[in-house]
Amino acid sequence: MSIAIISDRNPDAWIKTLNEHQKKIEVEVYPDISNKNEVEYALVWNHPQGVFKEFPNIKVIASMGAGVDHIMQDPELPENVKVIRIVDEQLAKDMAEFVLALVLNKLRNLSLHHHLEQQQEWKPKTYQRIDEVKIGIMGIGELGSTVSKKLTENGFSVSGWANSKKDLENIKIYAGQEELDPFLAESDILICLLPLTPDTENILNKDLFKKLPENAFLINVARGNHLVENDLIEMIDSGHLSGAALDVFRKEPLPEKHPFWKHPKIQVTPHIASVTKPSSVVSQILENYERMKNKEELQKVVDKEKGY
């Protein structure tokens, strides 16, 4: 029995870490799998669609990162297979620090002044203070909860929006479609941390943006498919939105001629908000592997109906 790595990433760090922690497990990398009939556990990221048909005895598919949309979107995902997500405290901390940096960058106009610096232009611009803005977070899961805590610790007024009611200290939670509009109305900075599902795809669109306050700012650190790109550009150019900071995109790397690159009010980063380190999550990967072998209940199993 082996663990099969199926990924568009360089697998060397994963192989090294898995072997250091459990030398008895054979780790193989697709497509160089010696016996596909023996593979019951796969570790994946952006796998080729339909590839799991090649493994007739596969039981568990574990994501290499926090997201599982790349797995759930496979139309040929076997029905009887368990999908496992990663929950990593360090990953959540990294995300929280990145979002805080983006928010402070927005308030103090650092990107704008950097742009002016390149043009050798001295144009001081009025900045905002922490107590002058309200932040709304769409998606209050593991990442969203940690981000909201980091922001409130730094003095920000934060509200959240989720499918169902949650109880978080110092954060007002709006729940369901019926409470989306009032949530948006008080979000000067909107942060998307939603899981990508059929219900949330394209949710960041013109209709939603119109419900935000004038000069609202968007931060998307979730998935590129949440955003209708042309709607964002239109709403920024019309003056309704003040700008956006985007870390995720429909196509990655972002194409060379994409309009986001040169838009003066859109900040682009290359999907680096939080990156999984194999050493940080290997224990939960191997824990579920052992549970599978011993026919025990698995941890962090994805609800296939919800998609997360």
Side-chain angles (χ1 to χ4, degrees):
M1 189 186 302
S2 65
I3 291 179
I5 295 178
I6 309 173
S7 172
D8 63 352
R9 298 175 175 177
N10 186 321
D12 292 350
W14 285 94
I15 296 170
K16 181 176 182 293
T17 304
L18 287 165
N19 286 334
E20 286 175 349
H21 285 77
Q22 181 52 273
K23 298 183 185 299
K24 295 181 181 180
I25 299 177
E26 183 179 5
V27 180
E28 299 183 295
V29 179
Y30 183 86
D32 300 321
I33 308 294
S34 57
N35 188 343
K36 294 178 180 178
N37 290 327
E38 292 186 359
V39 172
E40 296 182 349
Y41 195 103
L43 184 59
V44 309
W45 189 263
N46 287 340
H47 65 280
Q49 299 282 284
V51 71
F52 301 122
K53 294 186 300 183
E54 301 178 28
F55 302 92
N57 297 311
I58 193 166
K59 296 178 180 176
V60 178
I61 299 169
S63 176
M64 286 173 150
V68 294
D69 50 284
H70 58 105
I71 300 173
M72 305 307 295
Q73 290 173 350
D74 189 338
E76 300 185 74
L77 182 68
E79 292 184 6
N80 60 334
V81 167
K82 300 288 187 182
V83 177
I84 305 298
R85 63 189 178 95
I86 280 176
V87 176
D88 181 23
E89 183 177 338
Q90 185 59 56
L91 205 63
K93 288 180 179 178
D94 291 348
M95 177 64 78
E97 291 170 1
F98 186 79
V99 169
L100 176 62
L102 291 180
V103 170
L104 293 174
N105 178 52
K106 157 61 179 169
L107 265 58
R108 301 309 299 261
N109 305 306
L110 298 183
S111 290
L112 171 63
H113 287 301
H114 177 67
H115 174 74
L116 293 173
E117 174 194 350
Q118 307 308 306
Q119 313 305 317
Q120 293 185 312
E121 294 186 41
W122 187 278
K123 291 183 179 180
K125 180 176 173 58
T126 303
Y127 56 83
Q128 294 174 288
R129 294 182 171 89
I130 288 175
D131 60 3
E132 295 175 338
V133 298
K134 295 181 178 180
I135 297 178
I137 300 177
M138 301 182 77
I140 305 294
E142 301 284 347
L143 294 177
S145 298
T146 303
V147 169
S148 63
K149 182 179 179 182
K150 173 66 71 174
L151 291 170
T152 55
E153 287 174 347
N154 282 274
F156 286 98
S157 173
V158 180
S159 60
W161 181 72
N163 269 337
S164 56
K165 282 291 186 183
K166 297 177 184 291
D167 186 17
L168 290 179
E169 188 176 358
N170 299 321
I171 298 170
K172 182 178 181 180
I173 301 297
Y174 294 85
Q177 287 298 319
E178 63 275 11
E179 295 187 357
L180 178 58
D181 286 4
F183 161 78
L184 294 171
E186 63 173 45
S187 298
D188 299 311
I189 297 177
L190 181 67
I191 300 168
C192 183
L193 276 163
L194 291 166
L196 182 61
T197 69
D199 289 336
T200 65
E201 187 169 4
N202 299 320
I203 193 171
L204 301 176
N205 57 42
K206 188 189 304 185
D207 290 340
L208 181 141
F209 295 146
K210 287 179 178 178
K211 297 171 182 177
L212 293 169
E214 198 80 15
N215 294 315
F217 187 83
L218 172 69
I219 294 175
N220 187 16
V221 283
R223 286 292 181 265
N225 281 25
H226 285 122
L227 175 63
V228 180
E229 297 178 346
N230 289 335
D231 285 5
L232 174 65
I233 292 174
E234 179 182 340
M235 294 300 285
I236 292 176
D237 290 347
S238 72
H240 183 71
L241 298 182
S242 62
L246 309 176
D247 187 57
V248 290
F249 307 91
R250 287 179 176 269
K251 185 175 182 181
E252 298 181 0
L254 189 64
E256 183 179 349
K257 295 184 179 180
H258 197 287
F260 284 168
W261 282 118
K262 294 186 177 181
H263 198 291
K265 295 184 178 180
I266 296 178
Q267 178 185 350
V268 170
T269 50
H271 205 150
I272 45 82
S274 59
V275 180
T276 304
K277 291 184 66 175
S279 59
S280 181
V281 300
V282 65
S283 59
Q284 58 186 284
I285 295 291
L286 292 174
E287 170 72 14
N288 269 327
Y289 179 81
E290 293 298 325
R291 286 173 174 267
M292 179 201 70
K293 285 202 310 180
N294 297 327
K295 298 181 179 180
E296 297 174 350
E297 184 176 355
L298 302 178
Q299 299 176 330
K300 309 303 180 185
V301 177
V302 172
D303 183 327
K304 288 185 178 180
E305 288 190 10
K306 292 182 178 179
Y308 56 91

